Amino acid sequence: MPSKIYPHPEERPEGASRRTRDVDAAPAFDAVIVGAGFAGMYMLHRLRGMGFSVRVYEAGSGVGGTWYWNRYPGARCDVESMQYSYQFSDGLQQEWVWSERYSPQPEILRYANHVADRFDLRRDIQFDTRVHAAVFDEAANRWMLEIGDRERVSATHCIMATGCLSSANMPKIAGIGSFRGATYHTGHWPHEGVDFQGKRVGIIGTGSSAIQSIPLIAEEAAQLCVFQRTPNYAIPAHNQRLAPEYQEAVKADYAGLRARAKATIPGLDFNFNMASAVEASEAERQREFEARWAYGGLPFLGVFGDLLLDPAANDLAAEFVRGKIRDIVHDPDTAEMLSPRNVFGCKRLCVDTGYWATFNRPNVTLIDVSGEPVEAITPAGIRAKGREYAVDAIVFATGFDAMTGALLKIDISGVGGRRLNEKWREGPKTYLGLGIAGFPNLFTITGPGSPSVLTNMLPSIEQHVEWIADCIAYLRDNGLSRIEAEAGAEESWVAHVRDVAGLTLRSTCSSWYVGANVPGKPRVFMPYIGGFPAYAQKCDAVAANRYEGFTTA
Ligand code: NAP
């Protein structure tokens, strides 16, 4: 008599065990990869090229991960196109032509599909298939996965390519089910698009997704009410068509650009000014700030070396941006409401096109819900500050249960039946963001404890994929079937991640980096802030020392 299957972690009572006995009957692979975004696709390509049997399971109907789901108006990357791309294949990077400085979502999705076709990836990807559970079978040293409609598969290695920002965060606002109009989450946008023409729209949230979508929704809708809990800093994108000569110049020395990028903390090729903002003269400071504002985008973070270390330097940058907001937004009260007071660059810096100016439009209203939360969703709209705002549609631009959300949606049980959500009750613990003590043969691509979201994701994904593939090949070549992070190595790494985070101002505010956006989530700075070069060196040293900090058998 088979035991009951509990597809979701919260349904399985404490102590109830999962079936693992039918390991032999299930399709068996060397590796199973969860997710067919940029991480899962490259992992498949790499492992298959080494002769391993691999299967990818993907909940969506196509490749692309975050770029498959995030189809809201204005969605585009905030890393420049020439850098937000794979570098593992020079043929690919030479042949692909980007059309804009910052790629729009449809173009990035086309690129993902092109990669899938070019490397014939689809034959090993099963779409429309969610992974519900993964259980480690200690006797067999294999992972047993429960997928799709209660099917089972097994694999020696289980690789989580589930993405850092893929589990949508829907706020629990009273009355949410009573709304008569349409509701959308930016991270799960309808594929057919949404027509806001003539509609009254309410949008909750003012993070990157909102800052990109608000100007376009405002152009289309009859009225737009923006419910803002925390104002954010945004630097203009100055997006433009990419000149063919510029692309040719980059491609003539793509290896040079990639190498320069890998030598920087965020893995991005842009100039860092190491001078101190505090020590610079007023005129120098303004020149630097203006130059970065005119250049646009995330390179603003490189304006001065002490920006994220010294509160006084940070205040200077913050005040510069607040000055820009006051210049652009006509109504002083609205400008004041839009002006962030928190640490500049502490929450993820936003990159915008026409965001501040949108608040000069007569059809846009800003509602400050910082002091008093949105009270309720009613059948006709949104109630806040004692008043009902009647709307036909609500957009939740409320972000993600970042870095751990997608992993913990899967019921993962390791050695002794210990579940990952128990182990991570007080925050994620990993060794290098790659392995987890008590969970042998399980790898996380850009997991918590790795630079991931603080870096250009594509090179960070490639670095992880290559490290994992080399590790699995090492095990095979040495007749080993099991690898597990040691508890001591993990503890030291977690402490190091925490200590380094404490050195910068970035860990000081209520951001999704610390899980503050999800009620009840433990407050831990999740990514590794020590930078791409130091981190990659550490990973290389671990591998060179026969996977130091891991136990193999
Ligand atoms: P986000 O940055 O977490 O922003 C969510 C917004 O919703 C915040 O303004 C938040 O306010 C607000 N919010 C959440 N719950 C709320 C509630 N109950 N009531 C009122 N407001 C609420 O999410 P996101 O904009 O989707 O961006 C997430 C990350 O994805 C970005 O930081 C970036 O890394 C990435 N992203 C990148 C791009 C790009 O490449 N350009 C675009 C989109 C997203 P609080 O700040 O007060 O929590």
Side-chain angles (χ1 to χ4, degrees), residues 2-243:
S3 55
K4 183 167 164 35
I5 298 167
Y6 302 96
H8 299 292
E10 58 275 18
E11 288 178 27
R12 181 154 66 100
E14 281 305 313
S17 66
R18 287 195 161 275
R19 270 190 330 183
T20 54
R21 243 173 264 127
D22 43 357
V23 173
D24 294 342
F29 301 96
D30 292 324
V32 153
I33 299 165
V34 186
F38 283 123
M41 287 201 293
Y42 181 37
M43 194 76 244
L44 166 62
H45 176 62
R46 193 84 184 182
L47 284 178
R48 214 171 55 181
M50 291 169 145
F52 292 105
S53 63
V54 191
R55 176 56 60 95
V56 180
Y57 296 101
E58 164 58 55
S61 305
V63 296
T66 195
W67 301 105
Y68 173 87
W69 297 105
N70 285 266
R71 299 171 186 240
Y72 59 83
R76 66 173 71 241
C77 192
D78 57 5
V79 170
E80 296 194 12
S81 312
M82 298 301 287
Q83 299 202 51
Y84 191 83
S85 53
Y86 286 124
Q87 57 192 285
F88 70 83
S89 159
D90 194 46
L92 171 66
Q93 70 179 0
Q94 290 294 335
E95 81 197 11
W96 184 262
V97 178
W98 294 106
S99 64
E100 296 177 52
R101 179 179 178 190
Y102 295 104
S103 307
Q105 172 272 332
E107 189 165 329
I108 305 178
L109 192 56
R110 271 200 302 282
Y111 172 73
N113 278 288
H114 169 75
V115 172
D117 294 338
R118 193 186 194 280
F119 297 100
D120 189 20
L121 300 179
R122 287 177 216 281
R123 66 186 156 90
D124 290 311
I125 305 175
Q126 188 173 319
F127 294 105
D128 302 305
T129 305
R130 188 167 283 285
V131 173
H132 303 296
V135 182
F136 188 65
D137 184 305
E138 291 175 58
N141 274 343
R142 293 183 75 72
W143 283 93
M144 187 72 176
L145 288 99
E146 226 170 66
I147 61 166
D149 193 14
R150 306 283 196 272
E151 275 177 74
R152 285 157 176 275
V153 296
S154 82
T156 309
H157 299 285
C158 177
I159 302 163
M160 296 298 183
T162 41
C164 294
L165 295 157
S166 48
S167 177
N169 173 39
M170 268 304 270
K172 292 188 174 51
I173 301 175
I176 215 161
S178 70
F179 183 59
R180 281 197 301 262
T183 58
Y184 309 96
H185 190 285
T186 46
H188 278 281
W189 204 257
H191 288 202
E192 62 281 11
V194 179
D195 182 4
F196 288 120
Q197 211 66 245
K199 299 264 167 56
R200 297 163 305 168
V201 181
I203 183 165
I204 299 181
T206 48
S208 297
S209 304
I211 282 179
Q212 287 186 331
S213 55
I214 281 169
L216 293 169
I217 297 175
E219 276 176 18
E220 206 180 305
Q223 274 173 37
L224 178 64
C225 292
V226 178
F227 294 84
Q228 171 189 273
R229 188 163 69 182
T230 313
N232 256 313
Y233 298 96
I235 304 296
H238 300 309
N239 187 38
Q240 54 192 277
R241 303 291 302 172
L242 267 186

Side-chain angles (χ1 to χ4, degrees), residues 336-511:
E336 179 56 27
M337 256 197 279
L338 286 168
S339 294
R341 297 283 154 193
N342 55 7
V343 169
F344 177 86
C346 188
K347 282 174 184 271
R348 168 83 171 200
L349 185 61
C350 301
V351 178
D352 81 293
T353 299
Y355 177 64
W356 310 115
T358 298
F359 292 89
N360 293 331
R361 296 177 65 100
N363 67 334
V364 175
T365 309
L366 180 66
I367 300 116
D368 176 0
V369 291
S370 58
E372 306 160 57
V374 170
E375 288 160 30
I377 307 289
T378 65
I382 300 172
R383 199 168 65 227
K385 305 186 107 170
R387 155 169 185 201
E388 184 178 67
Y389 294 84
V391 293
D392 305 307
I394 302 177
V395 175
F396 291 93
T398 45
F400 302 91
D401 183 352
M403 302 206 73
T404 55
L407 280 168
L408 294 179
K409 263 191 188 163
I410 304 170
D411 189 359
I412 304 173
S413 305
V415 172
R418 186 159 190 221
R419 290 152 79 180
L420 188 61
N421 60 8
E422 285 163 28
K423 170 163 175 150
W424 283 6
R425 207 177 285 285
E426 285 164 18
K429 291 194 168 91
T430 72
Y431 181 36
L432 300 171
L434 279 163
I436 305 168
F439 296 80
N441 294 6
L442 180 89
F443 297 95
T444 49
I445 303 181
T446 63
S450 75
S452 58
V453 290
L454 297 176
T455 59
N456 183 5
M457 285 302 288
L458 268 284
S460 282
I461 283 171
E462 287 185 317
Q463 185 256 340
H464 264 197
V465 165
E466 287 160 16
W467 191 96
I468 293 167
D470 289 349
C471 175
I472 293 176
Y474 167 90
L475 298 173
R476 174 183 64 185
D477 297 347
N478 288 279
L480 301 164
S481 59
R482 177 176 162 134
I483 184 163
E484 180 182 352
E486 290 165 9
E490 183 177 270
E491 275 306 315
S492 308
W493 183 252
V494 168
H496 175 62
V497 171
R498 187 188 54 230
D499 292 348
V500 179
L503 300 175
T504 89
L505 300 172
R506 257 196 163 144
S507 57
T508 58
C509 69
S510 297
S511 66

Side-chain angles (χ1 to χ4, degrees), residues 248-299:
E248 277 159 28
V250 169
K251 287 180 178 179
D253 182 27
Y254 229 144
L257 177 138
R258 301 298 197 180
R260 286 193 302 279
K262 283 183 180 171
T264 71
I265 285 179
L268 278 169
D269 181 34
F270 62 74
N271 285 333
F272 285 85
N273 175 17
M274 294 318 289
S276 155
V278 178
E279 287 166 16
S281 69
E282 177 61 22
E284 275 173 80
R285 257 198 316 263
Q286 287 309 309
R287 205 169 43 243
E288 284 296 328
F289 285 145
E290 288 291 356
R292 296 276 167 164
W293 183 267
Y295 183 80
L298 296 179

Side-chain angles (χ1 to χ4, degrees), residues 287-336:
R287 205 169 43 243
E288 284 296 328
F289 285 145
E290 288 291 356
R292 296 276 167 164
W293 183 267
Y295 183 80
L298 296 179
F300 197 97
L301 287 168
V303 66
F304 284 108
D306 48 1
L307 182 75
L308 289 167
L309 298 172
D310 181 344
N314 196 279
D315 280 349
L316 292 164
E319 187 45 34
F320 173 82
V321 177
R322 286 193 289 264
K324 289 292 184 192
I325 298 170
R326 287 192 292 271
D327 288 348
I328 299 168
V329 178
H330 302 158
D331 174 48
D333 292 340
T334 306
E336 179 56 27

